[in-house]
Amino acid sequence: MTSFRPAPGWLADAVFYQIYPQSFADSNGDGIGDFNGITERLDHLAWLGVNTVWLNPCFKSPFRDAGYDVSDDLAVAPRHGSADDLAGLVDEAGRRGIRVLLDLVAGHTSDEHPWFTAAADDPADDRYIWAPEGLPEGFVPSPGTRPGAYLPNFFAFQPALNFGYAQGNPAEPWRGPVDAEGPRANRAALRGIMDHWLGLGLSGFRVDMAASLVKDDPGRRETAAVWGGLRRWLDDAHPDAVLLSEWGEPEVSVPAGFHADFFLQFGGDTDGLALRSLWSNGTGTVNEAWAPLDCFFDPSGLGSPEPFVEAWRRAHGALGASGFISLPTANHDFSRLNCGPRTAEQLPVAFTFQLTWPTLPAIYYGDEIGMRYVPDLPDKEGSVLGPRYNRAGSRTPMQWDDGPNAGFSSAPADRLYLPLDPSPARPTVAAQRADESSLLHLVRRLIALRSVAPELGPDGSVEVLHGGYPFVHVRGGRYLVVLNPARKSRSCRIDGVGGARPLEAAGVRLDGSSLTADGFAYGVFDLDG
Ligand code: TEU
Ligand code: CA
């Protein structure tokens, strides 16, 4: 296997912050978040200490899947502003030491993309996957003069771009090889799209459904080959840029060519169990196929850190220095941390874990103040994926202050992209900025701690001293981390921690070799005093 250029140095220090552009800040009062709104709020991000922003898709789109249905990959959506506004955002972010990543929707387009409307009238076109006749299972009837049907990648209106099939099947004559003209054109198009945005100062991409490119691809070997080729191109053309995959299996995606991958609510041989076993308490976004589980960050204390730690160990061991694993608090497809019966008092311990475990942390906008997942919202731009799977609850407007519309927008409340969390007690940035005991301040201090204690970053060693509740580990032989996500107090014996100096702690007592953690207690201690 050809090796790749090492990841740019800045990535190891990245603290990601995911912005759902519709819902972060609205500068012009139309109720929809926009680039200028984000620019106006960059000081919040700089103050918080995050240094790498990922924007969900902000390209021209009919928005039937909230922008994951792209109709022009080189044009920004008018709802978010102009190309100049995006350039201004990138420039102002850069002045504050913040990089900006876009979302690359690599595997499909909107059915309104000109590539697709052309293909729907041209039987010779092979940019998409087209069955020449009939309606094979999973296909969608042709909307154009061309007979037959096309293969969608997600929703029916998101036709899969053709990157070929890894293997033929005489019963499925539409299967083409990975080196056919269409797949080559699509690979070239991806390079062109990346080149365009990177040339404008963007720092890389989160790649949507990165595992989806080549069809019927056991072990994703041919899909990996596509990404390997793109990474080699990127290494030469844009060596400071990064690719983060929405794949959910770092030991496969990083060797394929990604600089980092996320633990996700799906992916890998346990279908996302690693992430869900930490956070998912069975409320919020729930896929019917997921077996109920007791998550580790549940007050019952019935969960276990093991599924996560196991999956992390396997991935971390496989990656070595070749790339990184990112641990998100949530994302635009998955419940926020503050969901269902989970209460605000349970969030500090979760953030202490996220910001001290050897990964690249990714904070989903609003989680830093403990915004709640809002249940039972009507479908919005494709948010509903299943009877219990509504993504809108994680996409509500950022709660800046207690003014009208929480400072998100000056539009009438019924014109907002999504309604605000209706709770009168909803947390706000302004209130938490004024209160040093708030979650927001804790998150800020924990991020700051990572820059003075590089041992807490993704590369430092980790040694688990006590599994379960309390969960106790040491980073870099020096920083002791104590976590008790359970409601009840928990104790254990650990030699030689009596003199450890608290850097950030609440509810943890160290006495000789006895360690006691109150319910929801957390602490980071310096063992060197
Ligand atoms: O998501 C792909 C995806 O597989 C998830 O939506 C998954 O099905 C869900 O989280 C259940 O676990 C990506 C984007 O993140 C999502 O917003 C898009 O809708 C989708 O691709 C299509 O582009
Ligand atoms: Ca707006």
Side-chain angles (χ1 to χ4, degrees):
M1 190 179 73
T2 336
S3 63
F4 305 116
R5 185 191 278 265
W10 62 266
L11 187 59
D13 299 321
V15 177
F16 298 124
Y17 188 89
Q18 181 188 346
I19 290 181
Y20 190 73
Q22 281 80 339
S23 299
F24 194 64
D26 171 23
S27 70
N28 64 350
D30 66 356
I32 302 182
D34 47 54
F35 298 133
N36 289 341
I38 299 171
T39 304
E40 287 164 12
R41 297 294 187 172
L42 283 171
D43 286 336
H44 166 67
L45 303 183
W47 177 86
L48 184 59
V50 298
N51 54 22
T52 311
V53 164
W54 149 37
L55 300 179
N56 285 109
C58 51
F59 313 106
K60 200 174 157 215
S61 168
F63 288 101
R64 294 172 70 194
D65 184 17
Y68 282 98
D69 46 336
V70 179
S71 56
D72 184 347
D73 305 78
L74 303 182
V76 301
R79 64 160 58 171
H80 296 309
S82 67
D84 282 350
D85 297 336
L86 175 59
L89 162 57
V90 172
D91 188 51
E92 285 297 324
R95 285 177 208 277
R96 291 163 178 79
I98 297 173
R99 291 180 165 78
V100 182
L101 313 177
L102 297 182
D103 211 308
L104 180 68
V105 187
H108 51 271
T109 65
S110 158
D111 60 2
E112 294 184 24
H113 197 294
W115 299 341
F116 183 75
T117 52
D121 286 333
D122 176 4
D125 187 297
D126 69 344
R127 297 288 295 274
Y128 296 86
I129 297 171
W130 217 280
E133 56 193 31
L135 187 58
E137 196 192 327
F139 280 59
V140 179
S142 169
T145 57
R146 181 179 188 171
Y150 67 87
L151 182 72
N153 216 27
F154 195 74
F155 287 122
F157 51 80
Q158 289 163 317
L161 286 161
N162 179 21
F163 291 90
Y165 278 75
Q167 42 205 1
N169 177 347
E172 300 189 352
W174 57 83
R175 292 179 175 229
V178 295
D179 58 0
E181 204 181 314
R184 275 189 280 124
N186 286 331
R187 295 197 296 264
L190 288 183
R191 291 194 294 272
I193 295 163
M194 290 196 261
D195 200 47
H196 174 81
W197 295 113
L198 296 174
L200 292 177
L202 279 300
S203 295
F205 301 88
R206 173 270 192 189
V207 178
D208 187 59
M209 290 180 65
S212 76
L213 302 196
V214 177
K215 304 306 182 195
D216 195 7
D217 183 18
R220 309 278 190 212
R221 276 192 299 274
E222 292 295 339
T223 298
V226 173
W227 288 115
L230 293 168
R231 169 67 179 271
R232 275 186 286 279
W233 166 79
L234 192 79
D235 279 349
D236 283 341
H238 300 282
D240 208 36
V242 299
L243 295 178
L244 320 179
S245 49
E246 188 206 26
W247 191 309
E249 196 171 14
E251 57 269 57
V252 176
S253 52
V254 169
F258 287 93
H259 298 87
D261 188 14
F262 298 93
F263 275 127
L264 293 168
Q265 66 277 16
F266 65 93
D269 48 16
T270 60
D271 191 26
L273 187 69
L275 186 74
R276 289 187 285 110
S277 73
L278 290 179
W279 309 144
S280 181
N281 60 16
T283 65
T285 53
V286 180
N287 182 327
E288 307 296 318
W290 295 339
L293 65 93
D294 292 301
C295 69
F296 182 51
F297 285 89
D298 190 80
S300 65
L302 295 172
S304 164
E306 264 319 293
F308 175 83
V309 171
E310 256 307 298
W312 176 86
R313 270 194 207 294
R314 222 175 340 126
H316 188 76
L319 265 48
S322 67
F324 298 95
I325 302 164
S326 180
L327 174 59
T329 56
N331 63 51
H332 63 292
D333 295 329
F334 187 56
S335 325
R336 291 182 178 281
L337 281 182
N338 199 358
C339 185
R342 192 173 282 132
T343 55
E345 64 183 337
Q346 299 169 32
L347 302 177
V349 61
F351 269 100
T352 305
F353 176 74
Q354 191 222 11
L355 291 166
T356 61
W357 191 258
T359 56
L360 300 178
I363 298 172
Y364 186 56
Y365 84 96
D367 279 358
E368 73 274 29
I369 55 169
M371 269 174 60
R372 288 195 64 80
Y373 173 90
V374 180
D376 304 325
L377 291 172
D379 178 68
K380 179 69 178 179
E381 297 187 347
S383 65
V384 175
L385 294 184
R388 293 169 69 204
Y389 208 111
N390 187 346
R391 305 180 288 179
S394 292
R395 301 176 176 183
T396 61
M398 180 70 173
Q399 295 155 198
W400 293 105
D401 55 42
D402 58 9
N405 293 335
F408 162 71
S409 172
S410 58
D414 62 2
R415 296 253 331 263
L416 300 188
Y417 176 76
L418 277 168
L420 277 164
D421 175 357
S423 158
R426 62 179 174 238
T428 67
V429 173
Q432 294 201 14
R433 275 287 285 257
D435 173 6
E436 291 200 5
S437 72
S438 65
L439 179 66
L440 178 63
H441 273 269
L442 173 68
V443 171
R444 177 178 190 243
R445 288 193 303 270
L446 288 169
I447 293 172
L449 199 53
R450 293 171 68 94
S451 42
V452 296
E455 292 92 337
L456 294 175
D459 295 326
S461 67
V462 64
E463 191 190 348
V464 174
L465 303 184
H466 192 263
Y469 303 87
F471 186 57
V472 183
H473 66 83
V474 175
R475 298 297 320 276
R478 173 162 182 186
Y479 296 100
L480 178 80
V481 180
V482 181
L483 308 153
N484 181 17
R487 183 179 302 283
K488 286 196 185 131
S489 162
R490 301 292 183 113
S491 315
C492 63
R493 299 194 72 77
I494 292 176
D495 286 338
V497 295
R501 179 168 64 94
L503 300 171
E504 192 61 63
V508 178
R509 285 178 305 284
L510 307 175
D511 183 10
S513 54
S514 126
L515 184 163
T516 303
D518 294 344
F520 311 134
Y522 57 90
V524 184
F525 299 83
D526 187 348
L527 289 169
D528 289 356

